[in-house]
Amino acid sequence: MAVDRALDGPADGPDAVGAGSDAGARPAGAPKGVAIAWGLLILNTLGSAGAKTIVPLPRSLIQMATMGSLVAAFALALLLNLRLRVRASAFLLLLTLLLVPSVISSVNLESGFGALFRCTRLALFVGTLWLLSRWWDGDDRFVRHHIRLYFAVLASVAAGLLISPGAALPDLYGGRLVGALWPLTPPQIGQYAAVIIGLTVLLLLGRRTGGASAAAVIVPSFVLLALTHTRTATLGLLVGLVLAIGSLVLTSAAARRFFAWAVVISTFVAVVLNSALQAWFLRGQSQENFSNLTGRAKVWDALLAAPRTALQELFGAGLGDKSFGGLPIDNSWLAVYNEQGLVGTALVAAAIIVLGGVALLRPPSLQRACAIFLVSYCSIASYTEAGLGDASPYLLHLTVAASLLAAPVTAAVPSTPAPTVSAVRRRLPHWTRTSEVN
């Protein structure tokens, strides 16, 4: 497949970040089961709500498939890492601590028994990430897994578009692209397309893939992104690439050339296609509807004005479906505040700050650029999308960033003890031995 050729390349390279050691010797290479476990995590985060599919799929069946994939991912990761070797990670530690306010707020059953179910899901999700952290080595291994697997998801979206254009571009969503084979919403498809476009562009600049092979990933993904009319994903892609490529400008001639051409082309497109771009961006909405973010601002104001007890203020109301008053919150920070309180909000903010701070302190490299892109994209998307406080694609994106920033594992070199005086005397010829050593 073209996507496989596009992602062929060395797992390690001169852009490796930092140096370090692990409790065990460096793994000879990640087994294929790691990619399978990562794919199962991605399947778990696809969700079960969305547009109507060509073949109606009962939501209960989809939920069984997604939850079953998480259990299978945890079991597979445990089987691959029976010795429970993990990498030290402040990011994963903060995600683990996030379970505390989640459980404290959920045991009250204010959000129903579903809150405890979601806590169990989050615990299995974080536990699987800990088990897979053994193969974090500061290389681009998980970047390649990420691109391959999300490209497969986009391939299913494209297949649905070819089979039934009417189901893939329904009037219910204003003609925006949805998943016709698996219930995926336009923001989901836009997110997946934007992330793999950005990562593939960076691999191309880092000479980890060829131009023709990268185009096989970038071009169809860009078409799908345009059909979703997803403004958040487009803005996150552009800003994330600017920051990521900007981190390479001083050390990479390819990044400088790409940046210069991107500025020229963007200026030309903005001038020539200004009216078309404005129409695409507004999506037929009025200025008033656009100014209140398609009704999101009203939900946010109501959430912030709702009365809360001291316990709810600190730990939230329990893990729910990221909605308030029956309407989606569509903001990661307010969703975390509503479900996990101020404590959860502080932990999520600390996780992003840690990743961003470590990335800024690293020397320029491809891994650092990819991490900057992922962290900046998730930060921008968090304003109009929920998911930072629960098992979601956004946590997977940030986990890939954490794996890129991990210090490479070095094999332990056995130390040779210094020879003792008695050993030296035993190696000397008999006639040279004396009663004392000068």
Side-chain angles (χ1 to χ4, degrees):
M1 292 178 63
V3 65
D4 291 326
R5 293 195 301 271
L7 300 178
D8 286 340
D12 301 301
D15 292 327
V17 182
S21 60
D22 195 9
R26 178 174 183 167
K32 293 182 179 180
V34 172
I36 297 175
W38 195 255
L40 292 171
L41 288 178
I42 288 178
L43 175 59
N44 174 256
T45 58
L46 292 182
S48 58
K52 294 182 179 179
T53 55
I54 299 173
V55 178
L57 299 174
R59 187 173 182 181
S60 58
L61 178 63
I62 298 176
Q63 289 176 332
M64 287 178 59
T66 54
M67 191 59 194
S69 66
L70 177 58
V71 175
F74 179 81
L76 179 57
L78 183 61
L79 183 63
L80 295 172
N81 191 4
L82 289 175
R83 295 186 179 182
L84 302 182
R85 292 180 177 176
V86 298
R87 295 296 306 271
S89 171
F91 170 73
L92 289 183
L93 177 61
L94 290 168
L95 288 188
T96 306
L97 292 176
L98 187 62
L99 287 169
V100 176
S102 303
V103 173
I104 291 176
S105 59
S106 297
V107 292
N108 295 327
L109 299 181
E110 184 176 338
S111 299
F113 286 98
L116 294 178
F117 175 82
R118 293 183 179 94
C119 284
T120 304
R121 179 193 178 208
L122 180 59
L124 284 175
F125 188 86
V126 175
T128 305
L129 296 182
W130 272 114
L131 292 171
L132 294 179
S133 68
R134 176 189 177 186
W135 290 279
W136 293 5
D137 198 16
D139 54 25
D140 53 16
R141 176 183 297 124
F142 283 91
V143 171
R144 297 175 186 277
H145 294 336
H146 217 52
I147 296 175
R148 286 191 181 100
L149 294 167
Y150 274 123
F151 190 84
V153 175
L154 293 182
S156 71
V157 175
L161 177 62
L162 294 176
I163 296 172
S164 179
L169 300 168
D171 294 334
L172 180 63
Y173 284 87
R176 301 170 65 190
L177 181 64
V178 300
L181 298 181
W182 185 278
L184 297 174
T185 61
Q188 285 180 282
I189 300 172
Q191 175 197 163
Y192 306 153
V195 168
I196 69 173
I197 289 172
L199 292 176
T200 305
V201 167
L202 293 174
L203 289 181
L204 179 62
L205 293 180
R207 298 181 179 179
R208 300 298 179 89
T209 184
S213 299
V217 175
I218 295 173
V219 173
S221 300
F222 186 80
V223 172
L224 297 181
L225 173 61
L227 290 175
T228 63
H229 286 256
T230 307
R231 295 176 294 219
T232 300
T234 305
L235 181 62
L237 170 63
L238 296 177
V239 175
L241 278 180
V242 168
L243 295 176
I245 297 174
S247 69
L248 295 172
V249 165
L250 297 179
T251 58
S252 172
R256 290 192 291 271
R257 289 193 299 269
F258 183 90
F259 192 83
W261 277 108
V263 171
V264 172
I265 295 174
S266 299
T267 303
F268 175 79
V269 171
V271 173
V272 176
L273 303 176
N274 180 47
S275 58
L277 290 175
Q278 186 175 3
W280 181 91
F281 198 77
L282 288 176
R283 295 195 313 232
Q285 296 175 339
S286 64
Q287 290 293 339
E288 181 182 358
N289 196 19
F290 176 75
S291 62
N292 62 25
L293 298 174
T294 321
R296 290 185 178 96
K298 296 180 181 179
V299 179
W300 299 347
D301 293 340
L303 187 152
L304 292 173
R308 293 174 180 272
T309 64
L311 185 64
Q312 291 174 336
E313 190 76 16
L314 285 176
F315 302 109
L319 292 183
D321 58 357
K322 313 298 177 290
S323 67
F324 181 80
L327 296 174
I329 297 175
D330 286 340
N331 181 288
S332 285
W333 303 106
L334 291 179
V336 173
Y337 168 70
N338 183 56
E339 297 182 354
Q340 292 142 312
L342 293 175
V343 175
T345 305
L347 290 172
V348 172
I352 293 181
I353 292 173
V354 165
L355 289 177
V358 172
L360 293 177
L361 294 175
R362 288 284 194 266
S365 66
L366 173 64
Q367 285 84 348
R368 177 190 186 227
C370 290
I372 289 175
F373 169 77
L374 291 170
V375 173
S376 59
Y377 179 88
C378 292
S379 300
I380 293 171
S382 66
Y383 185 66
T384 57
E385 297 290 338
L388 287 181
D390 205 348
S392 69
Y394 292 105
L395 288 191
L396 291 180
H397 302 334
L398 293 177
T399 300
V400 173
S403 73
L404 290 165
L405 298 172
V409 180
T410 56
V413 179
S415 58
T416 304
T420 61
V421 174
S422 58
V424 172
R425 288 174 61 87
R426 285 196 298 270
R427 288 197 295 267
L428 293 175
H430 178 74
W431 59 270
T432 62
R433 298 177 187 173
T434 60
S435 59
E436 57 183 35
V437 179
N438 294 328

